[in-house]
Amino acid sequence: HEGTETTISAGTSPGASCTVKVVYPSGTVSASAGIKTTQTASSSGMVAWMWKPSSTKSGTGSVTVTCSAGGNTASGTAAFTLS
């Protein structure tokens, strides 16, 4: 929901460097400061960002987390719904 603080989290290799990209249902990429930072995975391999959706358009968007470690890069995408 617009303006509701949300956590984006993912699991990866400990120490991996990760970024996140949020695409709203409108197709616009989020420019939120909360998700512009690169996160380093904890010793348990978790990364997380706090994010407040700013789109008023309802529908399905996507979140993609991309992580790199030891010369390897992997990403995962999940859908979310704004209503």
Side-chain angles (χ1 to χ4, degrees), residues 5 17 32 35 47 62 66 72-73:
E5 191 166 65
S17 178
S32 171
I35 60 172
V47 288
S62 66
T66 302
N72 296 314
T73 299

Side-chain angles (χ1 to χ4, degrees), residues 15-79:
S17 178
C18 303
T19 58
V20 64
K21 177 181 175 182
V22 175
V23 181
Y24 289 117
S26 64
T28 303
V29 176
S30 175
S32 171
I35 60 172
K36 286 189 172 186
T37 59
T38 298
Q39 297 288 338
T40 300
S42 67
S43 59
S44 62
M46 294 302 299
V47 288
W49 294 264
M50 296 304 292
W51 168 65
K52 285 187 179 180
S54 60
S55 176
T56 56
K57 182 174 176 60
S58 62
T60 302
S62 66
V63 175
T64 302
V65 175
T66 302
C67 297
S68 299
N72 296 314
T73 299
S75 64
T77 302

